[in-house]
């Protein structure tokens, strides 16, 4: 029961009605017996700054940030941590003593989803796509000290932008186009391949993968950030080649778990959060 002492946590986005975060976080807050509540707010871009000021004024513990505010929120925060600054995007804001600090748990969530399967981010990495998710994953792996991150994308210019960010972090990086001849060589070398495009996402779940899986090393780990459906055309094709495959649900779970820890300073109840997501999907 919500009483006068409860502490709110927010989610701002536009739209937000599809989000699974309220279900996941409220299940976790209840399991930990915390007098807190997680609520989603549809905030149009012109009200972004006012919504941040409002949450500070109302004593929110913090809030999550989703599309389209992840980049635009940076100027409204008092502090932004190193990883989030490199990614140029924030998905979690903690409010302490009226001051805001921004984090990005998307990349850390991805790494945790690998570790959950006993895989460390090492060697040659190939990321398809050059949007927000690709940037978070590429920066997180660069900060882990992988050997090289290649970005393959439809628009070469967008891929080059992420490559420059990765190189600034001291890790070798290349940008290649989806049609380029270099792509086959990169696929043959890659230890970890990540689909960070929406290709294969419901309702167009029968769309063919963005690359030819016949060039994958059989020892490669293939990750699809798409989580609707949980098992994608890409994951099935990669498995039939003998590769280890990881879907997008783990990243969704662990980005939420890391945000929960930042909000509450408690270890997140992972299995409760995993079950809540399974119910919501
Ligand atoms: P985004 O910012 O819109 O970027 C999408 C990227 O995919 C762009 O680089 C775009 O290429 C490329 N792309 C789009 N349609 C394509 C097509 N038909 N063929 C080839 N490339 C295409 O999206 P995002 O936020 O990065 O999200 C990407 C995917 O990751 C989505 O499926 C999303 O659901 C998923 N995601 C999952 C999690 C998770 O927790 N599992 C978290 C975040 C995102 P151009 O640059 O050429 O336009």
């Amino acid at each position: 029961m919500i009483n006068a002492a409860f502490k709110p946590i927010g989610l701002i986005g536009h739209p937000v009605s599809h989000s699974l975060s309220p279900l996941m976080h409220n299940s976790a807050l209840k399991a930990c017996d915390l007098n807190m509540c997680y609520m989603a707010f549809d905030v149009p871009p012109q009200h972004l700054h006012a919504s941040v000021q409002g949450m500070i004024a109302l004593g929110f513990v913090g809030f999550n940030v989703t599309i389209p505010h992840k980049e635009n929120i940076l100027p409204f925060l008092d502090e932004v941590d190193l990883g989030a600054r490199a990614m140029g995007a924030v998905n979690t804001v903690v409010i302490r003593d009226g001051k805001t600090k921004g984090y990005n748990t998307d990349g850390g969530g991805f790494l945790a989803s690998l570790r959950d399967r006993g895989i460390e981010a090492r060697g040659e990495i190939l990321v398809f796509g050059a949007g927000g998710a690709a940037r978070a994953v590429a920066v997180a792996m660069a900060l882990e000290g992988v050997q090289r991150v290649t970005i393959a994308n439809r628009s070469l210019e967008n891929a080059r932008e992420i490559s420059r960010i990765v190189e600034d972090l001291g890790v070798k990086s290349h940008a290649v186009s989806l049609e380029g001849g270099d792509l086959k060589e990169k696929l043959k070398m890659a230890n970890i391949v990540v689909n960070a495009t929406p290709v294969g996402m419901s309702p167009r779940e029968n769309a063919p993968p963005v690359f030819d899986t016949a060039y994958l090393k059989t020892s490669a780990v293939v990750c699809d950030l798409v989580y609707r459906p949980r098992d994608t055309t890409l994951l099935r094709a990669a498995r039939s080649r003998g590769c280890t495959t990881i879907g997008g649900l783990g990243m969704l779970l662990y980005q939420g778990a890391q945000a929960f820890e930042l909000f509450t300073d408690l270890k997140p109840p992972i299995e409760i959060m995993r079950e809540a997501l399974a119910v919501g999907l």
Side-chain angles (χ1 to χ4, degrees):
M1 178 75 80
I2 292 174
N3 60 24
F6 101 102
K7 292 189 177 132
I9 302 173
L11 163 68
I12 55 169
H14 183 63
V16 281
S17 57
H18 62 285
S19 175
L20 295 171
S21 292
L23 190 62
M24 176 169 59
H25 281 280
N26 284 318
S27 302
L29 293 169
K30 190 170 171 216
C32 294
D33 203 19
L34 291 169
N35 196 13
M36 294 181 176
C37 178
Y38 185 102
M39 292 166 292
F41 300 95
D42 192 326
V43 175
Q46 68 272 25
H47 294 317
L48 177 59
H49 191 193
S51 74
V52 175
Q53 290 173 315
M55 286 189 284
I56 296 170
L58 293 170
F60 277 56
V61 171
F63 57 95
N64 282 128
V65 186
T66 188
I67 290 166
H69 303 314
K70 286 186 180 186
E71 288 91 18
N72 297 339
I73 194 149
L74 266 79
F76 303 131
L77 301 176
D78 296 309
E79 214 184 321
V80 176
D81 99 326
L82 181 85
R85 191 156 296 283
M87 291 168 199
V90 158
N91 78 337
T92 302
V93 177
V94 174
I95 306 173
R96 294 283 184 271
D97 302 320
K99 296 281 180 213
T100 52
K101 180 163 180 181
Y103 300 85
N104 192 314
T105 65
D106 282 335
F110 172 74
L111 293 176
S113 77
L114 293 188
R115 273 186 225 114
D116 196 29
R117 298 281 304 278
I119 293 155
E120 291 295 324
R122 293 275 177 273
E124 292 279 346
I125 313 295
L126 178 54
V127 178
F128 286 85
R135 195 156 17 143
V137 163
V139 166
M141 288 200 279
L143 291 171
E144 282 287 286
V146 298
Q147 194 181 330
R148 187 197 328 258
V149 181
T150 299
I151 311 292
N153 194 46
R154 193 170 58 177
S155 136
L156 193 54
E157 196 36 54
N158 291 346
R160 284 194 178 121
E161 201 182 314
I162 301 187
S163 270
R164 281 193 287 270
I165 296 169
V166 169
E167 293 216 309
D168 284 348
L169 294 169
V171 172
K172 282 185 261 174
S173 185
H174 289 112
V176 297
S177 85
L178 295 182
E179 285 77 37
D182 313 355
L183 185 55
K184 281 180 200 158
E185 293 314 308
K186 296 290 179 195
L187 271 167
K188 286 179 195 166
M189 283 161 48
N191 302 105
I192 299 179
V193 178
V194 183
N195 174 42
T197 78
V199 174
M201 190 165 80
S202 174
R204 301 183 62 197
E205 50 197 68
N206 293 323
V210 273
F211 62 89
D212 187 345
T213 50
Y215 293 104
L216 285 166
K217 280 204 289 204
T218 54
S219 61
V221 175
V222 177
C223 311
D224 199 338
L225 302 192
V226 169
Y227 53 84
R228 269 193 186 110
R230 287 166 75 161
D231 198 28
T232 62
T233 312
L234 168 61
L235 295 178
R236 286 194 296 276
R239 264 201 310 276
S240 71
R241 220 178 128 58
C243 301
T244 299
T245 59
I246 299 182
L249 200 64
M251 174 174 171
L252 185 67
L253 168 66
Y254 284 105
Q255 64 75 31
Q258 291 179 8
F260 181 91
E261 191 162 352
L262 286 166
F263 294 140
T264 64
D265 292 324
L266 293 177
K267 283 275 163 240
I270 294 287
E271 291 316 316
I272 300 276
M273 297 174 90
R274 198 192 299 271
E275 277 168 31
L277 280 180
V279 169
L281 270 174

